[in-house]
Amino acid sequence: MEANTPLLLTDEQMRKFITDGFLILTTDFSEDFHHKLMESLNHVYEEEGNPGNNLLPRVPELQRVFEHPVITGALTSVLGPNYMLHAHRHGHFNAVSNPGGWHKDSYWGYERMRNHHPWWAMIMYFPQDTPVELGPTGIMPGTQNYESRVFNADEMETEALASGNAGTFALIHYDIWHRSTPNLLGQPRYMLKFEFMRTTAPEAPSWNNDEAAWRKPQTVNSPFADHEVMWEETWNWLSGKNGNITDIKSNNEASVKELTMELQDQFEPIALNAAYELARRGKHEDLFDAIQSENVKESRLAAYGLSVSSKEVIPGLIENLESRRVETVIHTIFALGEQREQAKEAVSALNKLLKHPSEKVRRAVVEALGMIQQPTDDVVEGLCHCLKDEDVQVRFMAGLSLSRLGASAEKAVPQLEIALNDENRYVRAHAAEALRYINTEQAKDVLIKFLFNSRWCPTTTKVNTFYP
């Protein structure tokens, strides 16, 4: 294997990622490399403060980190070979003894319906030796698919800590519950957080795959529930298989009536299993009843069931787009997006919703269009309209959706060029990413001009304005 060849994950590691939502891995950089990296971080933080999204150009040693075979292999395995390094990144500095609160990260300041399929991941990198006493990130295993915090103080013993030598990192499902733990030593502790997005749906396993069939890993660290149907469906999705949830085996002996009651259970793991089991059994009418429920949690969970159901549900989902309940419409749009190209007949109706008065509906549409992708001209037209939306979040999601279309989105280049001058940093960044993934001559010309005009000198600071 060549030095820079990605070191792909094994089947067992992928099984652990699916069930637990994270992996703790380690690079093999030298002690001297991390010593220099820490010197650069300390200098930047002491002289300038947190560089935020400019972390890479201000600390260029970090580029080597994200070229390391263990990191590229882990990201390729989970997100596919064309994954995107997102423009948002942050260096977390912790020297206090108080623990942070449990949370899921937002998507650059706004909430959205979260994907169970791993479309997003984060890496949390520790550039110094990080024993437990220095306050590593704490992760609650298996909580990546729960919107609510389902654990309490009695279950804290299951918390996993990203503790280890310099070069240790946590690869996490973007939506997992996590926190900072107390730094009892009072010494500087950095955690460098970078976000990554899958740009294409999986067509085949992108890890070192030997076994085609799903089986649980040797240990499952989540204490809350077995989600065998959901886990197997995720494994199949990552393997490039779509729409075969009815072939999944299940030990659930509950009646349909019991499952519909469990879908309303206040304990989310139980309700989540009910949604997937109803989908597995093809009980679509029960899921359609639930998605129209005034109980927002029940409606959302039904959307997950419909999102993995057979394409037979698509006509009913299209009808649901006319619902007067905004939550039902949003959840329906999510399910259509996860159906991807099978839902192409919904694009016309989705484009009409881009005039909907609710920005939350329009935000859901812009993501769904980027996942459905066909018919291309209609999708691109809709996304170009999104780049002009009054809501900034619709605009910056449009760039990410266009990135997923690649060269077929070339007609969007003129509107993307305008978006490069948007007042919002993420609209500009996502427009640039879209141009990079479109990758035609026209797109590259616009992108190169933008990059030269916005060139930033990483060594120019308030104390070093001219020389050397």
Side-chain angles (χ1 to χ4, degrees):
M1 180 181 292
E2 296 181 7
N4 291 325
T5 301
L7 185 60
L8 300 176
L9 298 178
T10 65
D11 283 337
E12 182 67 7
Q13 286 175 311
M14 286 297 292
R15 289 190 282 261
K16 290 289 288 180
F17 185 83
I18 289 170
T19 58
D20 295 353
F22 74 97
L23 294 169
I24 306 297
L25 303 168
T26 307
T27 59
D28 61 356
F29 287 111
S30 67
E31 189 175 318
D32 182 60
F33 171 81
H34 281 114
H35 177 73
K36 292 178 179 177
L37 177 55
M38 286 293 291
E39 282 187 337
S40 295
L41 285 166
N42 287 331
H43 173 76
V44 169
Y45 273 70
E46 290 169 6
E47 295 292 329
E48 306 163 32
N50 194 321
N53 290 346
N54 290 326
L55 192 56
L56 270 181
R58 283 303 292 121
V59 188
E61 294 92 341
L62 279 173
Q63 188 58 53
R64 285 186 58 194
V65 169
F66 292 99
E67 294 170 352
H68 192 283
V70 173
I71 288 184
T72 59
L75 290 168
T76 297
S77 297
V78 170
L79 300 178
N82 295 314
Y83 62 83
M84 177 193 296
L85 169 58
H86 190 268
H88 176 69
R89 60 285 306 256
H90 194 76
H92 288 264
F93 178 84
N94 179 22
V96 299
S97 59
N98 296 326
W102 286 101
H103 66 282
K104 291 172 176 268
D105 279 20
S106 74
Y107 286 80
W108 327 291
Y110 83 106
E111 295 182 358
R112 56 181 285 278
M113 191 160 170
R114 298 173 184 268
N115 304 93
H116 290 172
H117 295 147
W119 283 97
W120 290 87
M122 281 195 285
I123 280 183
M124 298 174 168
Y125 190 86
F126 295 87
Q128 72 284 299
D129 291 347
T130 310
V132 171
E133 297 78 11
L134 195 61
T137 298
I139 304 166
M140 188 54 68
T143 58
Q144 66 274 17
N145 297 318
Y146 306 149
E147 187 68 26
S148 56
R149 177 181 160 177
V150 300
F151 51 94
N152 53 42
D154 296 334
E155 291 151 337
M156 295 295 284
E157 63 186 31
T158 61
E159 177 180 11
L161 300 177
S163 175
N165 296 331
T168 296
F169 67 95
L171 170 71
I172 69 172
H173 188 295
Y174 190 94
D175 297 325
I176 204 164
W177 285 85
H178 61 281
R179 66 165 185 160
S180 61
T181 60
N183 183 343
L184 302 177
L185 301 180
Q187 301 170 2
R189 186 280 277 166
Y190 292 97
M191 184 275 282
L192 310 177
K193 182 186 76 175
F194 287 75
E195 302 176 359
F196 300 85
M197 185 187 88
R198 171 183 284 277
T199 60
T200 57
E203 297 180 356
S206 54
W207 65 95
N208 189 15
N209 177 235
D210 290 322
E211 299 180 48
W214 162 259
R215 61 180 174 85
K216 285 198 291 190
Q218 294 179 3
T219 58
V220 176
N221 293 324
S222 171
F224 308 109
D226 264 8
H227 296 294
E228 51 191 311
V229 174
M230 179 173 63
W231 292 337
E232 184 172 354
E233 194 281 331
T234 301
W235 170 271
N236 290 343
W237 184 86
L238 283 163
S239 301
K241 305 170 186 175
N242 195 29
N244 60 345
I245 191 171
T246 54
D247 296 333
I248 291 172
K249 296 179 181 179
S250 172
N251 296 321
N252 194 330
E253 301 296 335
S255 68
V256 173
K257 184 177 180 180
E258 288 174 311
L259 290 172
T260 57
M261 293 297 294
E262 288 176 358
L263 193 57
Q264 304 170 39
D265 199 288
Q266 291 301 305
F267 188 55
E268 190 173 359
I270 291 176
L272 185 60
N273 274 346
Y276 273 80
E277 182 65 21
L278 286 168
R280 187 191 71 82
R281 297 190 191 184
K283 301 302 179 182
H284 303 147
E285 289 304 316
D286 298 279
L287 290 170
F288 274 116
D289 288 342
I291 202 173
Q292 297 175 52
S293 169
E294 293 184 3
N295 182 321
V296 176
K297 292 181 181 179
E298 182 183 355
S299 175
R300 177 177 55 82
L301 289 167
Y304 287 118
L306 290 166
S307 74
V308 299
S309 294
S310 69
K311 62 182 180 180
E312 296 172 5
V313 303
I314 291 171
L317 288 171
I318 294 173
E319 288 183 19
N320 266 9
L321 295 176
E322 299 179 5
S323 172
R324 294 182 179 180
R325 295 190 66 256
V326 167
E327 292 84 1
T328 294
V329 175
I330 291 170
H331 298 156
T332 297
I333 295 168
F334 171 87
L336 286 167
E338 284 285 353
Q339 290 279 346
R340 306 202 315 266
E341 67 276 2
Q342 293 185 148
K344 61 184 179 182
E345 63 192 90
V347 167
S348 177
L350 290 171
N351 277 342
K352 290 178 182 177
L353 287 176
L354 292 175
K355 297 180 181 179
H356 197 283
S358 169
E359 67 276 5
K360 293 181 179 179
V361 169
R362 303 198 304 275
R363 292 171 193 170
V365 171
V366 70
E367 178 155 354
L369 289 174
M371 296 171 74
I372 297 171
Q373 300 188 2
Q374 297 176 21
T376 304
D377 288 347
D378 293 342
V379 168
V380 173
E381 181 181 352
L383 292 175
C384 286
H385 181 83
C386 293
L387 286 169
K388 298 179 283 186
D389 195 279
E390 63 182 18
D391 182 72
V392 66
Q393 295 162 11
V394 174
R395 299 201 304 275
F396 68 58
M397 285 301 298
L400 292 179
S401 287
L402 286 164
S403 299
R404 289 174 168 156
L405 270 72
S408 62
E410 185 173 23
K411 288 183 180 179
V413 170
Q415 194 60 47
L416 287 167
E417 184 173 14
I418 295 172
L420 291 173
N421 294 305
D422 194 277
E423 63 184 5
N424 181 271
R425 72 186 76 186
Y426 295 117
V427 176
R428 298 192 299 270
H430 297 173
E433 288 288 2
L435 290 166
R436 181 166 75 95
Y437 279 90
I438 291 171
N439 199 35
T440 61
E441 289 302 315
Q442 181 189 14
K444 286 187 284 189
D445 287 345
V446 171
L447 180 58
I448 290 170
K449 179 182 177 182
F450 166 73
L451 293 176
F452 267 100
N453 289 343
S454 59
R455 181 183 178 274
W456 189 66
C457 177
T459 56
T460 299
T461 67
K462 62 181 180 180
V463 296
N464 179 22
T465 55
F466 299 109
Y467 304 105

